């Protein structure tokens, strides 16, 4: 396996030396590419000695004659010869260039020419990391399917404390390995994922919604893509950019989600219903804006179709996974829903704890399987939890 390690210009550049060593220990050949500013922090010689290879430092070498042509297309050759691009540390500037598609040095040009998986480990000052421009750029890269190895918290070189410190090289190496050697066990599968909340209109300007952010469902869709599946993501309204490489359908109400799911169900052999679907909709929603009066206002609600239960009733050979968002008796409720809706597994989620569940970046779930097994997944990133959920698909397949 060949990997390009792109080193950006930050204090943490020295940690990339350790990363190059850890990658090689895993049997990976490492080609280092340094930006001009990275060379102010650490010399190419260090990486050349560690990797036993020439380090690429510039788009145009000063070699003359015939070699000018070969150096001008070197980024294409490097893009073709390597299976993964890891950038550590990724500075705010590098992240912005990648988000924009600007190509003014070897690394940013290589990025555009590269078609394989990309792992990005940002490092910068806390205020820079929290800046809306950086947040937007990082989300753009994430939506492209790139893996973002989140920076850790701690004392930064600038003297402040907070998030922004480069993730540990061991953690970055682990993400690289996962991308390179992780299972492609969903090749040939078509996975239908629903995500996010639904919005039930009251009138043209108001709706009944819920606190689901869609992060868990999107993480599952992205993980399924990485594992080789064809993915259809049907999403209620969220602030997350549509991931690239999958079929994406945006819906508003539960009724819209219901018809989109029913239309696509025939194509899917694995269905994962992470969406928080409204159980009720407003009966006779007003076509005009409801005006304020001194009187009380009563909204009458009527039940929505239970999409999961409907799929369960016509399940066939599909693997069907539901969610149970609970504030109490989680495992018992998850079991009850699994049987009632004919699911193979229900992901039980406690939603009234700080730091996990609705809107959070992390989750702690309990997987209740049709086989009777109950798997506790301790608090972890939604990306990791998505991996756990998809791991169970293999087990469910084995029991038929
Ligand atoms: N679900 C669905 N259609 C609905 C309601 C729920 O498909 N109208 C699905 C959700 O996507 C989720 C599962 O059913 O996978 C459980 O949702 P949840 O709201 O926890 O359960 P409910 O069956 O609505 O039960 P309750 O509200 O009583 O907890």
């Amino acid at each position: 396996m060949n990997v390009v390690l792109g080193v950006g210009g930050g204090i943490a550049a020295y940690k990339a030396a350790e990363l190059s060593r850890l990658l090689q220990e895993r049997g990976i050949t490492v080609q280092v590419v340094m930006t001009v500013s990275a060379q102010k922090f650490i010399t190419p010689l260090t990486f050349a000695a560690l990797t036993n290879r020439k380090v690429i430092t510039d788009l145009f070498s000063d070699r003359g004659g015939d070699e000018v042509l070969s150096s001008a297309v070197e980024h294409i050759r490097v893009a073709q010869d390597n299976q993964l691009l890891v950038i550590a540390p990724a500075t705010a500037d590098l992240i912005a260039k990648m988000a924009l598609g600007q190509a003014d040095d070897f690394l940013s040009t290589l990025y555009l020419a590269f078609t394989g998986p990309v792992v990005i480990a940002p490092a910068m000052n806390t205020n820079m990391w929290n800046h809306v421009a950086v947040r937007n750029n990082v989300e753009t890269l994430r939506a492209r399917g790139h893996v973002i190895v989140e920076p850790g918290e701690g004392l930064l070189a600038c003297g402040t404390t907070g998030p922004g410190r480069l993730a540990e090289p061991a953690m970055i190496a682990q993400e690289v390995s996962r991308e390179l050697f992780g299972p492609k066990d969903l090749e040939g599968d078509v996975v239908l994922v629903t995500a996010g909340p639904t919005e039930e209109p009251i009138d043209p300007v108001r709706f009944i919604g819920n606190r689901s952010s869609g992060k868990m469902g999107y993480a599952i869709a992205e993980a399924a893509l990485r594992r080789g599946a064809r993915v259809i993501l049907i999403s209620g309204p969220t602030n997350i950019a549509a991931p690239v490489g999958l079929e994406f359908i945006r819906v508003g109400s539960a009724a819209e989600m219901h018809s989109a799911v029913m239309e696509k169900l025939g194509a899917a052999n694995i269905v994962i219903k992470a969406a928080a679907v409204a159980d009720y909709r407003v009966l006779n929603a007003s076509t005009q804006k409801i005006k304020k009066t001194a009187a009380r206002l009563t909204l009458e609600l009527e039940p929505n179709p239970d999409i999961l239960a409907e799929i369960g009733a016509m399940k066939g050979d599909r693997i069907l996974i539901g969610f149970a968002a609970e504030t109490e008796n989680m495992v018992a409720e998850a079991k009850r829903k699994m049987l009632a809706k004919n699911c193979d597994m229900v992901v039980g989620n406690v939603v009234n704890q700080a730091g996990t569940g609705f809107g959070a970046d992390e989750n702690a779930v309990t997987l209740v399987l049709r086989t009777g097994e109950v798997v506790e997944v301790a608090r972890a990133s939604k990306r990791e939890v998505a991996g756990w959920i998809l791991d169970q698909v293999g087990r469910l397949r084995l029991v038929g």
Side-chain angles (χ1 to χ4, degrees), residues 82-123:
N82 287 277
Q83 283 82 48
L84 182 142
L85 170 62
V86 52
I87 301 188
T91 58
D93 178 55
L94 260 176
I95 287 170
K97 273 198 218 174
M98 286 190 280
L100 205 63
Q102 193 178 329
D104 61 358
D105 64 2
F106 194 96
L107 188 52
S108 52
T109 311
L110 170 69
Y111 167 72
L112 290 187
F114 191 69
T115 53
V118 179
V119 175
I120 300 166

Side-chain angles (χ1 to χ4, degrees), residues 273 275 277-279 304-308 322-326 337 341:
K273 286 228 71 237
V277 186
D279 289 330
N304 269 324
D306 189 317
I307 308 169
L308 183 60
F323 273 65
E326 308 295 342
K337 287 177 187 175
K341 303 191 190 193

Side-chain angles (χ1 to χ4, degrees), residues 43-364:
T43 68
L45 188 62
T46 307
F47 287 108
L50 282 171
T51 61
N52 211 10
R53 275 175 158 243
K54 192 171 170 288
V55 171
I56 299 173
T57 52
D58 200 0
L59 190 53
F60 300 101
S61 76
D62 50 11
R63 293 170 292 182
D66 293 345
E67 287 193 37
V68 170
L69 181 63
S70 63
S71 78
V73 292
E74 202 178 359
H75 58 283
I76 306 294
R77 184 187 60 74
V78 174
Q80 283 164 353
D81 289 354
N82 287 277
Q83 283 82 48
L84 182 142
L85 170 62
V86 52
I87 301 188
T91 58
D93 178 55
L94 260 176
I95 287 170
K97 273 198 218 174
M98 286 190 280
L100 205 63
Q102 193 178 329
D104 61 358
D105 64 2
F106 194 96
L107 188 52
S108 52
T109 311
L110 170 69
Y111 167 72
L112 290 187
F114 191 69
T115 53
V118 179
V119 175
I120 300 166
M124 66 196 75
N125 156 275
T126 301
N127 289 343
M128 292 171 75
W129 175 245
N130 287 334
H131 195 286
V132 65
V134 175
R135 310 278 356 125
N136 288 344
N137 288 336
V138 168
E139 287 318 311
T140 300
L141 297 178
R142 209 193 297 274
R144 279 180 205 159
H146 301 342
V147 176
I148 309 293
V149 191
E150 298 284 326
E153 288 202 27
L155 182 63
L156 303 178
C158 50
T160 55
T161 305
R165 179 168 142 166
L166 185 71
E168 286 309 315
M171 193 188 280
I172 305 171
Q174 195 185 337
E175 289 292 344
V176 169
S177 296
R178 196 179 298 180
E179 285 297 307
L180 285 178
F181 310 118
K184 291 275 179 257
D185 52 349
L186 298 181
E187 234 153 40
D189 288 314
V190 180
V191 181
L192 171 62
V193 182
T194 68
T198 63
E199 287 181 355
E200 307 302 317
I202 297 171
D203 67 13
V205 292
R206 305 176 179 97
F207 61 84
I208 299 174
N210 63 64
R211 297 188 200 281
S212 167
S213 65
K215 286 177 187 166
M216 191 65 244
Y218 279 61
I220 293 170
E222 282 167 15
L225 257 187
R226 274 198 301 276
R227 289 164 84 143
R230 203 187 112 202
V231 178
I232 305 166
L233 174 60
I234 299 175
S235 171
T238 68
N239 290 325
I240 314 174
V244 174
L246 48 70
E247 187 180 347
F248 183 76
I249 301 167
R250 172 82 72 191
V251 295
S253 63
E256 283 174 27
M257 184 170 280
H258 176 255
S259 45
V261 168
M262 290 307 151
E263 196 192 315
K264 294 292 171 189
L265 188 62
N269 67 322
I270 299 171
V271 180
I272 306 180
K273 286 228 71 237
V277 186
D279 289 330
Y280 296 93
R281 65 174 164 237
V282 178
L283 183 67
N284 299 328
S286 175
T287 53
Q288 301 298 328
K289 185 182 172 200
I290 300 172
K291 288 295 185 185
K292 175 175 63 189
T293 66
R296 282 189 180 170
L297 176 69
T298 304
L299 291 175
E300 199 175 337
L301 305 178
E302 63 176 339
N304 269 324
D306 189 317
I307 308 169
L308 183 60
E310 217 173 290
I311 305 169
M314 49 192 274
K315 181 165 139 3
D317 292 337
R318 291 183 190 86
I319 290 179
L320 181 56
I321 300 177
F323 273 65
E326 308 295 342
T327 53
E328 56 185 358
N329 305 328
M330 192 255 279
V331 174
E333 275 301 290
K335 279 188 179 155
R336 184 183 66 76
K337 287 177 187 175
M338 181 176 63
L339 296 174
K341 303 191 190 193
N342 196 22
C343 295
D344 297 296
M345 180 171 92
V346 164
V347 181
N349 209 184
V350 176
V351 289
N352 53 349
Q353 271 171 8
T356 60
F358 281 168
D361 290 322
E362 294 192 323
N363 218 351

